[in-house]
Amino acid sequence: MTPNAVVSSPDKNVTIAKKCSVFPVEFVVRGYVTGSTDTSLRNVYSKRVRNYCGNVLPEGMVKNQKLPTNILTPPTKSTKYDVPVTPDEVIKLGLMTKDDYAEVSSRALSLFAYGQQVALENGLLLVGTKYEFGKGTDGSIMLIDEVGYFYHFNHSFICLAFQLLRHIVLCWPLAFFSVCNFLYLKMKF
C-alpha cells in the first residue's frame, strides 16, 4: 500500500528503521464530525467553521455524523502546539513541494480507507487517525510513524478495544499501529 521505514523489529520494544527526513506536517484524516480537542472536527464545526484546512464542510451536520467523504486536516508539526493549515499554506510555507504533498495526501487517504475497511470487518468504526511521512535517503516517500493507539468515546471498553485491535495489527501489512485518534467503537454484544 505504501512503503514504510521499518527495517525490522527484533524485539517488541525495538524497531530498526531507515533514516528519513521528516515532513513537518502531520496527515490527520477524518471520516466523522467527532473528537474532543480544540482542533477536533466536532469543536471546529460547532464554532461554525465551514472551511477547515481547505475542506468545505456542509451545513447541518451533527456530532459523530459520517462525513460525505474522508478529509485531510493537516497541522504543522511544532514544538509547542500543532497549527492547522491548508494544502496551499503547506506549499507556500515551503514545508513540502506540491508533488510531495499530493503523493502523501493520496497515500494517507488510501491508508485510512483501508483501515476503515479492516476496522469495519472487525465490528469497529475508524473515524480518524494521524499519519507521518518522510523521505528516505534515496528520495522515496515512506510512512515513518506507527499507525495507531485507538481512542474511543466509551473508556470502559479501552482494554477490550486494544485486545480487538491487536488481532487487526497482526494482519495489517504496515507491521504496526500507533497514535490513531478518535476510533469510535461499534461493539457487537
Side-chain angles (χ1 to χ4, degrees):
M1 188 162 304
T2 190
N4 67 64
V6 176
V7 173
S8 67
S9 188
D11 181 81
K12 65 182 180 179
N13 296 318
V14 176
T15 299
I16 298 170
K18 297 173 186 169
K19 184 176 177 97
C20 292
S21 58
V22 178
F23 290 120
V25 177
E26 295 176 344
F27 284 79
V28 177
V29 187
R30 302 174 194 268
Y32 289 76
V33 180
T34 192
S36 59
T37 66
D38 289 342
T39 58
S40 73
L41 202 50
R42 181 179 69 88
N43 285 338
V44 169
Y45 195 85
S46 70
K47 293 176 184 170
R48 309 224 22 95
V49 173
R50 295 299 180 265
N51 191 322
Y52 187 54
C53 297
N55 299 286
V56 176
L57 304 171
E59 288 292 337
M61 298 200 75
V62 296
K63 179 181 174 184
N64 299 333
Q65 182 176 344
K66 184 171 178 37
L67 293 166
T69 186
N70 294 328
I71 63 171
L72 282 169
T73 58
T76 61
K77 293 174 68 71
S78 174
T79 55
K80 291 187 179 183
Y81 54 89
D82 295 340
V83 179
V85 291
T86 66
D88 288 341
E89 290 171 323
V90 169
I91 295 159
K92 285 179 188 171
L93 292 169
L95 303 174
M96 297 179 75
T97 67
K98 186 176 182 177
D99 289 343
D100 285 347
Y101 185 85
E103 180 66 28
V104 173
S105 296
S106 175
R107 290 183 189 192
L109 288 165
S110 293
L111 284 169
F112 186 70
Y114 179 74
Q116 285 183 308
Q117 176 189 331
V118 171
L120 191 59
E121 289 168 2
N122 288 275
L124 305 169
L125 290 176
L126 180 60
V127 303
T129 194
K130 172 201 58 111
Y131 302 108
E132 294 186 39
F133 290 85
K135 261 193 179 179
T137 54
D138 64 355
S140 62
I141 294 174
M142 291 182 264
L143 183 66
I144 60 165
D145 197 14
E146 308 87 19
V147 182
Y149 285 106
F150 292 97
Y151 299 97
H152 54 88
F153 300 127
N154 189 339
H155 295 295
S156 64
F157 290 124
I158 195 85
C159 292
L160 179 57
F162 282 124
Q163 288 298 322
L164 290 170
L165 293 170
R166 200 175 100 219
H167 295 289
I168 295 171
V169 170
L170 296 175
C171 301
W172 195 271
L174 296 176
F176 57 128
F177 281 91
S178 185
V179 195
C180 175
N181 294 321
F182 318 128
L183 177 72
Y184 180 67
L185 293 177
K186 184 175 83 174
M187 306 303 291
K188 295 178 184 176
F189 291 99

